[in-house]
Amino acid sequence: MKKILLPILLIMQILLACSNNDNNNIAIKSKSVERPLEIEQVTWEASIQLAISANEYKGGISEIDIIGLKTTAESLKGFVKQTDAEQKLINAVDQMVNGKYQSIMGSGKEIQNKGVKDFEVGRENVVSIVGEDALNPGNLRKDFIKDLGKELKDPKKISYIDDYMKENRLKARDVQFDMENNLDKNFVVEGTATLDDYYNYGFGNEIEDIYFCARVVPDDGSDSWYLYFERRSFKDLFEALKSGSIYVSATSEIPSYKYVKGQGNMAQVREVEFK
C-alpha cells in the first residue's frame, strides 16, 4: 500500500514546545482579541503563522514557500477532535492560503481573480477571529514554517492517527445524502479510480491546471464520486492512473467555498492510499 500523508497539528505542537531560541519565541501580538478557550494555543499560533505568511507572500522569489504553505494549511483539516471554533478558524486560514496560491499561481485571469476574492474572504474571516493586530508582519516566525516542513517529512511522527481515523471516519455515503451539513469535514471515499475530465460547479475548468480529476466507483455499490487531486502533491498517483484503474482510499472534503447547491458527488482530496 502506497501512502501520501499530509501533515497535522501534532508536529506544530512539538515545534512550539521545542522552540527556545530568540527568533522562535516572538509572542503573537493581538491586543484586540484574546484567544477563545475553545481554540487550543497550538491551533491559534499555527493558524496565525500561516495567515501572516499568506498575507506577506507577493509572488516571485521569496523565503515563503507558497506550495508548502498550501499543503500545511490543508493539513490542519486532518487534525482530529477539533471544536467548532477551531474548525471555523482553520477553514478561514485554508481559504486565505488557497486564495493567495490561486491568485498568483493560477493560469488565466478567471482563476486568478477567483483566488483574489477567496483570499479576501478568508482573510476577513481570519481577522474576525484573531484580530488585525495578529497579522502584523512583525509577528512572523519564519523558522517555524521552515522547521515544520522538515518535521513533516517523517510520517512516523504522525502515524498514530491512522487507527483513530479508521474508527471514527465519516463515509462517502453519509456525505452524499447530507452534503450541506458535512461541508469542510473529512470523509473517506474507497473504490476503483480512473482518470476523468469532469470539471464543473465549484470544481470548474479553471482548476484543471492545478488539479486532476478521477472518478471513483465505491466497492460498496454506492454512487461514484468525482475527486480532485492537486497535481503537485499527488503526481505519483497521476502517473500510476495513466496506466489504468487503481484502488484508492481517499480522505476527501467538500470545501464550503467551493460548494454549489445542486452539485453531484464532487470533492477535493486531502490524503490518499493506493495500490
Side-chain angles (χ1 to χ4, degrees):
M1 182 77 72
K2 189 165 184 178
K3 188 171 185 179
I4 301 171
L5 185 61
L6 295 180
I8 60 173
L9 282 173
L10 171 65
I11 307 303
M12 296 181 176
Q13 192 166 20
I14 293 172
L15 287 172
L16 286 168
C18 296
S19 296
N20 293 318
N21 59 58
D22 291 339
N23 289 333
N24 285 352
N25 278 297
I26 301 173
I28 300 301
K29 301 164 187 163
S30 182
K31 297 179 181 179
S32 59
V33 177
E34 293 185 1
R35 176 178 62 84
L37 294 177
E38 296 85 359
I39 300 179
E40 294 287 341
Q41 180 67 26
V42 60
T43 306
W44 183 259
E45 289 209 44
S47 297
I48 289 174
Q49 288 301 308
L50 289 167
I52 296 174
S53 297
N55 205 44
E56 294 304 303
Y57 182 70
K58 309 301 180 186
I61 299 175
S62 171
E63 293 184 351
I64 298 173
D65 175 11
I66 189 62
I67 296 177
L69 198 69
K70 181 176 181 292
T71 300
T72 302
E74 290 177 346
S75 75
L76 299 185
K77 296 190 172 187
F79 188 55
V80 297
K81 300 180 182 178
Q82 292 174 3
T83 65
D84 290 342
E86 287 175 324
Q87 192 173 79
K88 182 178 180 181
L89 174 57
I90 288 170
N91 288 340
V93 170
D94 181 58
Q95 184 175 9
M96 185 178 174
V97 173
N98 271 285
K100 177 57 69 80
Y101 175 86
Q102 291 182 357
S103 70
I104 294 175
M105 304 293 287
S107 64
K109 287 296 182 183
E110 185 176 357
I111 189 170
Q112 289 177 0
N113 290 339
K114 183 179 184 299
V116 170
K117 182 180 294 185
D118 285 343
F119 171 81
E120 291 174 349
V121 172
R123 188 184 190 285
E124 181 179 346
N125 291 334
V126 169
V127 168
S128 72
I129 300 171
V130 305
E132 185 69 43
D133 289 351
L135 300 192
N136 187 313
N139 292 330
L140 181 61
R141 296 161 55 182
K142 297 177 181 178
D143 289 343
F144 177 85
I145 299 296
K146 289 181 180 179
D147 291 344
L148 177 62
K150 294 176 183 177
E151 292 289 339
L152 292 171
K153 291 181 180 179
D154 183 3
K156 294 179 181 178
K157 294 188 176 181
I158 50 178
S159 61
Y160 82 94
I161 206 71
D162 290 349
D163 291 339
Y164 180 94
M165 291 299 290
K166 288 177 181 178
E167 292 177 4
N168 296 276
R169 61 188 180 181
L170 193 64
K171 304 297 193 303
R173 185 189 293 271
D174 301 325
V175 176
Q176 176 183 345
F177 296 109
D178 193 16
M179 197 169 288
E180 291 192 358
N181 289 320
N182 285 297
L183 301 178
D184 299 317
K185 295 181 181 179
N186 286 343
F187 63 95
V188 176
V189 181
E190 293 181 319
T192 303
T194 54
L195 286 176
D196 209 290
D197 60 357
Y198 182 69
Y199 293 89
N200 207 341
Y201 296 95
F203 301 90
N205 291 328
E206 69 276 3
I207 71 167
E208 187 172 359
D209 62 331
I210 300 176
Y211 294 86
F212 69 86
C213 175
R215 181 172 179 262
V216 178
V217 179
D219 49 11
D220 63 0
S222 59
D223 293 346
S224 62
W225 281 78
Y226 290 101
L227 300 183
Y228 300 87
F229 301 77
E230 186 186 37
R231 292 182 182 275
R232 296 194 185 191
S233 298
F234 301 105
K235 58 184 178 181
D236 289 347
L237 175 60
F238 179 70
E239 291 300 321
L241 282 169
K242 288 197 294 187
S243 298
S245 299
I246 294 176
Y247 187 86
V248 301
S249 177
T251 300
S252 310
E253 174 203 22
I254 305 173
S256 55
Y257 62 92
K258 287 186 177 179
Y259 173 73
V260 177
K261 189 175 181 63
Q263 72 170 58
N265 293 341
M266 307 165 69
Q268 181 175 325
V269 174
R270 299 301 188 189
E271 171 189 333
V272 66
E273 295 181 3
F274 66 93
K275 61 182 180 179

